[in-house]
Amino acid sequence: MLVGPVADSPPAARRRAVVGAALAIGLVACATPAARDRAPRLTPTTAPWALDGLRGEWRWLLAREAEGVRTVEDERWEFVDDRASSAAQAQALLGRYVRDVEFTSLDGSPFACNQAPRYRQRAVFELVATVEAGAVTIRETDARAEPSPCEHGLRTLTSYRAELGRATVGLTSPRGAQTLLRTGPGPATLAPVVWPGDAPVMSGAWTFAATTLGDADLVRDEVEHWQLTVDGDDHLAGTVEREIRYRTADGSAPACGGPTSWRLRERVRLEGQRDDDRYVLREAEVLARAVEPAAPGCPPGAARVLDSALVELAGDALVLEWRGKRRQVLLRP
């Protein structure tokens, strides 16, 4: 079991305690624009040109702390001109915003999804802005999220009513209200959004680190360094160097009679083969193994059984399911 609470599944005590209120950072603004910043009200004459002030770059940023988790939401919006030269054509702006949300466990407890104390979710939303019934309307037309073991995959599209100010855009939607602040004139065209998780590669270096509570109330501090290669025949080969420190939580002598702490170091050769959209991986050979200092009668014991796992890429992470439904997530160093 994991030592400490899992940050995205807080216990009842943590759920009752709100660690902090929402914090304003830099460009944060959640209310509608101040009256002095508002642009003139749209009329049948001015409405066709209302989108002129929307072109450019905008940003919304919010941080908050609750239930032991710090959440930072960062949205960067862009709008570019997509109007025909003829004034008779209906006006429209193309746009998009990239939403980047980072979650951090305040006490260092790992999240269940990636077995680490921090993770992020990123998604891009495509937009079209028009003037309808004398008001600026922004619609989300499509959304794409970066693959990751923490991505839930649910993105509901919505629309916004926009109130343009001289340096702000107040948005209202079924999700609530927010205010974008202008950050620049923006690009001439919308460049593609690319993330590492869009084109994952299994070859290369991977790492794993975790602290867990094992048998006989012994704490395990584990660090692993993986090196994998995949050839043209989808054959997987590599090695893992593993170091596990065993200790009691209070530093007392363990019940098994060993020292107060000891380490297992081993190096294992790996082999695998692709099977549809995943790989079947097996520990082929233990190349080296040592326990320092000797701890007879204590974990990990003398027996060493070679294991196997199903391996899948989840964005820029590697998810392994070992025999016995043991899940492990490897991350890039």
Side-chain angles (χ1 to χ4, degrees), residues 266-284:
E266 67 177 17
R267 187 168 185 265
V268 181
R269 182 172 63 86
L270 307 168
E271 290 185 353
Q273 189 68 40
R274 186 181 183 90
D275 182 11
D276 292 330
D277 59 347
R278 61 187 181 182
Y279 282 79
V280 178
L281 176 72
R282 66 184 182 89
E283 296 180 326

Side-chain angles (χ1 to χ4, degrees), residues 7 37 82 117 152 161 172 189 191 199 202 212 225 228 241 287-288 309 314:
D37 184 61
D82 189 47
H152 51 68
R161 182 183 177 90
T172 56
T189 60
M202 187 171 292
T212 57
H225 298 281
L228 300 175
E241 295 185 359
L287 301 176

